């Protein structure tokens, strides 16, 4: 009986160490980024491709962005939007998660001026093709 108890406690300790390691690998980071592409995922979520300052080109899941009472609105994730984000970054995953996003700079004149809109769309296409 004592042997089994000892084995169980060893397995439990190993399990706890593994959970702590997995928790430490998933870190919350603050970074800035430029939205390149937005894809609707389900009824309430978006998948957003963002070129970030710290991690380069990343794909992020934005849960609840298309919900009416969601904290992050879909208009926040327009192409070429400059964002300050807090993200859960986990090694080895291709799809990360955004915890919080807020606009760094609002580009209000971009939508009203056709010349600026044309130049921005051209720059957007070049960035998507190059990255």
């Amino acid at each position: 009986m004592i042997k089994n108890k000892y084995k169980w406690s060893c397995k439990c300790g190993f399990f706890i160490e593994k959970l702590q390691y997995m928790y430490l690998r998933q870190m919350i980071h603050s970074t800035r980024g430029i939205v390149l592409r937005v894809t609707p995922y389900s009824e309430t979520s978006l998948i957003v491709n963002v070129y970030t300052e710290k991690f380069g080109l990343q794909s992020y899941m934005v849960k609840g962005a298309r919900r009416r009472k969601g904290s992050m609105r879909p208009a926040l994730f327009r192409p070429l939007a400059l964002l300050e984000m807090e993200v859960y970054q986990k090694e080895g995953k291709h799809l990360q998660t955004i915890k919080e996003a807020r606009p760094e700079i609002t580009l209000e004149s971009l939508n009203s001026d056709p010349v600026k809109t044309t130049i921005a769309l051209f720059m957007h296409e070049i960035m998507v093709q190059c990255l």
Side-chain angles (χ1 to χ4, degrees), residues 109-123:
S109 66
L110 189 64
N111 295 332
S112 61
D113 188 7
V115 175
K116 287 182 182 179
T117 304
T118 306
I119 293 170
L121 288 173
F122 178 71
M123 288 176 52

Side-chain angles (χ1 to χ4, degrees), residues 31-97:
T31 186
R32 298 184 308 169
I34 300 172
V35 176
L36 297 178
R37 186 176 298 136
V38 180
T39 307
Y41 179 63
S42 63
E43 288 184 19
T44 60
S45 300
L46 295 172
I47 295 178
V48 182
N49 290 356
V50 181
Y51 186 74
T52 63
E53 188 176 46
K54 286 186 180 178
F55 308 111
L57 186 61
Q58 292 286 321
S59 295
Y60 291 103
M61 170 76 71
V62 186
K63 297 178 181 175
R66 295 172 52 192
R67 198 176 301 154
R68 287 184 183 186
K69 295 182 181 179
S71 61
M72 291 186 275
R73 308 302 295 171
L76 190 61
F77 299 101
R78 289 187 196 163
L80 292 181
L82 302 171
L83 301 175
E84 290 183 29
M85 304 178 300
E86 290 184 15
V87 297
Y88 293 107
Q89 193 72 24
K90 191 171 182 181
E91 294 178 23
K93 282 180 66 178
H94 297 289
L95 188 62
Q96 312 296 336
T97 307

Side-chain angles (χ1 to χ4, degrees), residues 16-29 55 87-94 96-97:
I16 291 170
E17 286 176 15
K18 188 166 181 157
L19 281 177
Q20 289 173 345
Y21 174 73
M22 289 172 59
Y23 177 74
L24 291 175
R25 279 184 45 199
Q26 180 172 337
M27 304 283 291
I28 297 175
H29 295 278
F55 308 111
V87 297
Y88 293 107
Q89 193 72 24
K90 191 171 182 181
E91 294 178 23
K93 282 180 66 178
H94 297 289
Q96 312 296 336
T97 307

